[in-house]
Amino acid sequence: MAKKFNIAELLPESERVSDSDTLEIREIPWEKIRANDANFYGVRDVEDLKKSIEMHGLLDPIVVTPAAEDGFYTLISGHRRHKAWGELRQEDPEKYAAIPAIVRSFGSSAMAELALIMANSSARVLTAPEISRQAERVEMLLYDLKEQGYEFSGRMRDQVAKACQVSSSKLARLKVI
């Protein structure tokens, strides 16, 4: 069985989160969080998620990265949760003014986008066009990281296939289409 892609293997030791690290969950004002332009996954069907948040609260905080020195953040993981929270905020602005979030920093925009893709690929059932688009983006990002000095063993197609959780042959077929 092929070894799964592990983004952590690409990170320098200083950027890795270990079991001993404590992740801080912050309440961030909803309007301070920007959508991620790199997110090409569908953000739909949040009605059941809204009901769950109303009943239980947000069980899994969103993940954001500081956007710039302007105090804004960019979404990495949790686009559906963010959308559902925003819709609930329209109904009760005071209760849903701030959303629980984990703030992470990444060494590069390529690493941040790769984290976004890995979070989505492991949490969704993807359509063939989404897998195709994902593979295209992952390949571009891995080549960017390679230029930045990151090292990959084996063929790039195999790395992309592992990251997208598909076989190399399926990836080749999708690329032809």
Side-chain angles (χ1 to χ4, degrees):
M1 182 171 198
K3 183 179 167 193
K4 285 191 172 186
F5 184 84
N6 184 355
I7 188 175
E9 291 174 357
L10 302 178
L11 294 172
E13 199 66 40
S14 62
E15 289 185 41
R16 294 183 189 182
V17 177
S18 72
D19 290 340
S20 63
D21 290 339
T22 304
L23 292 176
E24 179 186 349
I25 298 173
R26 298 186 202 167
E27 294 280 328
I28 297 179
W30 190 87
E31 66 275 358
K32 289 285 188 179
I33 300 170
R34 295 179 178 149
N36 193 325
D37 293 337
N39 183 37
F40 55 87
Y41 300 96
V43 181
R44 54 193 174 272
D45 192 27
V46 297
E47 285 307 311
D48 286 344
L49 185 54
K50 282 173 50 179
K51 290 174 188 169
S52 174
I53 292 170
E54 285 178 308
M55 286 181 64
H56 308 289
L58 190 64
L59 299 176
D60 191 13
I62 62 172
V63 178
V64 297
T65 191
E69 298 299 320
D70 61 2
F72 283 84
Y73 298 86
T74 302
L75 266 170
I76 297 295
S77 175
H79 292 79
R80 288 185 65 246
R81 287 168 277 162
H82 182 258
K83 180 179 180 180
W85 195 274
E87 289 181 12
L88 289 168
R89 186 172 178 266
Q90 290 175 354
E91 298 165 15
D92 189 347
E94 191 173 309
K95 183 177 180 180
Y96 297 100
I99 185 169
I102 296 171
V103 179
R104 295 278 323 271
S105 294
F106 297 90
S108 69
S109 60
M111 197 58 85
E113 186 175 347
L114 195 53
L116 177 148
I117 290 170
M118 297 310 300
N120 279 286
S121 70
S122 64
R124 296 174 180 253
V125 175
L126 302 175
T127 64
E130 285 175 326
I131 293 170
S132 224
R133 176 72 195 264
Q134 177 177 284
E136 178 184 301
R137 295 296 303 154
V138 167
E139 183 175 18
M140 188 209 71
L141 293 167
L142 292 179
Y143 277 119
D144 282 355
L145 291 171
K146 197 170 189 174
E147 287 179 15
Q148 294 174 31
Y150 290 88
E151 294 184 21
F152 304 95
S153 59
R155 296 182 317 168
M156 186 60 75
R157 181 192 307 170
D158 295 335
Q159 293 296 325
V160 173
K162 283 193 283 187
C164 296
Q165 299 178 17
V166 297
S167 68
S168 292
S169 59
K170 181 174 181 173
L171 187 63
R173 285 191 306 273
L174 286 170
K175 206 169 193 177
V176 169
I177 296 170

